[in-house]
Amino acid sequence: LKAMSETQPSADIRALLNDVIEQVPIDFGGGSGLAKAETFASLIADHGLASYLEIGVYRGRSLFPVAALFRHRGRGIAVGIDPWSFVAAEQHDVELFPPEAAAGVAAWNRAMDWDALYAEVTMRATALGVEDHVRLIRATSADASSLIGAETVDVLHIDGNHDREAVLFDVRTYLPKVRPGGFVLFDDAWWPSVQEARAL
């Protein structure tokens, strides 16, 4: 990912990204850090990108920094697709997950109040002042696919359900929606359950 970007974000952009990230909780379910946000920022700045699509928002630690960057630049929309549901978050390929992830994923899913989390994420978009640069779609990636046009996405970030078939589906379904010369980024790309999708 770093090879895609040529410049490092300025001090004020780094401060902006860090401020947003610090306002979004991190827990077992996920939590992008400043380094990832800086890489997205460099990619967007280097290539003049304005259309970001993320599958798997959870609390928004990767979506909201991008939306804040678009607000700062005065253009761009960050679209986040996530059903925020127990059924969609259920993982089945735990034998292909790193042990530390496999051990707690079922308990984490059972303990999560998905409706409350969605409400929290919606309110956070307003609290961060990015509502004009973010669009939340509460749906599975399958159900939301018809809402995204072909070759309209500059950056596709795949971070949804990590089961092998789920990741393969997301790549096959959403790759045609990325414009020529666009970028596709995977979360946890080193996981065995994600490896096959990376090769598509």
Side-chain angles (χ1 to χ4, degrees):
L1 222 156
K2 289 185 178 180
M4 298 179 189
S5 59
E6 300 167 1
T7 60
Q8 294 297 315
S10 63
D12 64 322
I13 294 299
R14 292 185 77 250
L16 169 68
L17 299 173
N18 191 59
D19 179 62
V20 172
I21 287 172
E22 286 186 347
Q23 295 184 58
V24 183
I26 185 171
D27 61 23
F28 180 85
S32 295
L34 181 59
K36 188 173 185 179
E38 288 179 356
T39 302
F40 284 158
S42 295
L43 192 63
I44 288 166
D46 289 349
H47 300 276
L49 310 179
S51 174
Y52 173 90
L53 175 63
E54 181 168 286
I55 298 173
V57 177
Y58 191 51
R59 294 188 182 275
R61 276 180 69 100
S62 55
L63 183 74
F64 286 138
V66 172
L69 179 63
F70 285 155
R71 181 192 62 191
H72 178 82
R73 293 168 60 86
R75 61 186 289 263
I77 297 292
V79 177
I81 297 171
D82 195 313
W84 284 281
S85 82
F86 172 86
V87 172
E90 192 170 9
Q91 306 284 319
H92 302 282
D93 291 347
V94 290
E95 73 280 358
L96 297 177
F97 292 3
E100 64 274 12
V105 68
W108 158 78
N109 193 12
R110 285 194 301 269
M112 183 59 60
D113 183 338
W114 291 102
D115 289 332
L117 179 59
Y118 172 67
E120 173 192 312
V121 172
T122 301
M123 289 186 291
R124 184 164 291 117
T126 301
L128 291 170
V130 298
E131 55 272 66
D132 290 340
H133 295 277
V134 72
R135 178 185 176 201
L136 299 174
I137 300 175
R138 189 176 189 183
T140 64
S141 59
D143 290 340
S145 64
S146 63
L147 303 176
I148 310 298
E151 298 186 0
T152 60
V153 176
D154 291 333
V155 182
L156 171 62
H157 179 207
I158 297 178
D159 190 12
N161 187 302
H162 282 21
D163 281 347
R164 173 183 168 276
E165 287 300 326
V167 183
L168 287 170
F169 173 85
D170 288 343
V171 174
R172 289 170 177 151
T173 303
Y174 283 86
L175 192 58
K177 300 177 185 302
V178 179
R179 65 165 178 80
F183 300 88
V184 179
L185 311 173
F186 291 88
D187 184 68
D188 296 323
W190 57 277
W191 286 27
S193 61
V194 180
Q195 288 291 310
E196 186 176 343
R198 288 182 59 192
L200 290 179

